[in-house]
Amino acid sequence: MSDLLKGKNIVVMGVANQRSIAWGITKSLHNAGANLIFTNRQERSYKKLVKLLEENGIEAKLIVTCDVASDESIQSAFSEIKDKVGVIHGLVHSVAFANKEELKGEYADTSRDGFLLAQEISAYSLVAVTKAAKELMTEGGSIVTQTYLGAERVIKNYNVMGVAKASLEASVRYLAEDVGKYGIRVNAVSAGPIRTLSAKGVSGFNEKTSVITEKAPLRRNIDQDQVGDATLFFMSELSRGITGEVLHVDSGYHIIG
Ligand code: NDP
């Protein structure tokens, strides 16, 4: 436990179950004293979240529905947060989606609709929620998203999601410039492969984790808690001089040629 985020109101988007990266982040932020507000899309995720919070003795300040595919949904979520919480100091964006059939085979086979869907949910959503959240960040704040090495390199089967993550990382830089003048920072954590519901949608997940244990400097895979602590760093004043950055939490795998 620490007081790093004591009194800070932080919105966490993307807890689907106990394996979600956003759940690892929730634990780290809670242990640092943050007040947490959650958004989720599906009823199923809402029920899982409520159960997890109860089991772990974490009290949510608020839970609201938010489907990032809809401007109205984003608007109504953030206006409810404004009404019930007021000022927020942080936003965790841990949301992505692509059709399963586009996450195998050749990237050249990506459909127009599949490309646009991956971009919309996995990259544009950060732009849209930053726009909504910055109105509530009147005391400055920190926005953190989740990306993957497939943005920088060709990683087998990651295909359309790799291109969406490249767009997400470029958005981090453009958004960081936009909101820096309001004292708001925007950064990304680039995590190594972690077995989650979304990761299951990408073919050949086991190959990805075994290459980490073989080749990464630390010779071990990372977990949700390690991403949680890196996100906590970005949320806290410890990272006050950093914005527009992509931080790899991948046992050092990205430095290996
Ligand atoms: P999860 O499946 O646990 O989380 C994905 C979340 O995205 C779910 O909570 C889901 O909500 C949400 N989501 C999808 N579509 C929408 C939408 N239209 N509106 C709102 N929310 C939506 O998987 P992860 O924890 O793995 O994924 C979290 C982030 O981490 C993603 O950006 C992912 O790309 C990234 N990441 C994952 C890695 C991994 O190996 N697992 C590695 C590096 C980055 P719901 O269930 O309610 O639909």
Side-chain angles (χ1 to χ4, degrees), residues 102-187:
E102 317 260 12
L103 299 171
K104 59 184 176 200
E106 294 194 5
Y107 174 61
D109 290 330
T110 303
S111 68
R112 186 182 299 268
D113 285 351
F115 182 92
L116 293 173
L117 179 69
Q119 287 285 335
E120 181 184 21
I121 308 302
S122 315
Y124 180 70
S125 62
L126 179 70
V127 183
V129 298
T130 296
K131 188 174 172 165
K134 75 180 167 62
E135 303 305 322
L136 280 63
M137 290 185 165
T138 50
E139 297 171 6
S142 170
I143 297 173
V144 182
T145 187
Q146 302 298 321
T147 186
Y148 179 60
L149 189 61
E152 304 164 58
R153 295 198 210 158
V154 173
I155 295 189
K156 198 165 183 259
N157 298 318
Y158 203 61
N159 299 356
V160 72
M161 189 56 94
V163 176
K165 291 299 191 193
S167 166
L168 179 74
E169 292 182 14
S171 293
V172 164
R173 293 184 281 271
Y174 280 92
L175 292 170
E177 161 55 16
D178 284 348
V179 299
K181 52 185 172 294
Y182 310 122
I184 303 169
R185 300 181 290 110
V186 187
N187 293 288

Side-chain angles (χ1 to χ4, degrees), residues 14-17 19-22 40-42 44-45 66-69 94-97 121 146-148 158 161 165 190-199 205:
V15 179
N17 58 34
R19 286 180 185 268
S20 294
I21 287 178
N40 37 39
R41 174 178 59 150
Q42 300 186 68
R44 188 183 61 178
S45 310
C66 183
D67 181 348
V68 297
S94 187
V95 166
F97 189 81
I121 308 302
Q146 302 298 321
T147 186
Y148 179 60
Y158 203 61
M161 189 56 94
K165 291 299 191 193
S190 183
I194 302 177
R195 194 174 299 278
T196 64
L197 204 58
S198 292
F205 180 81

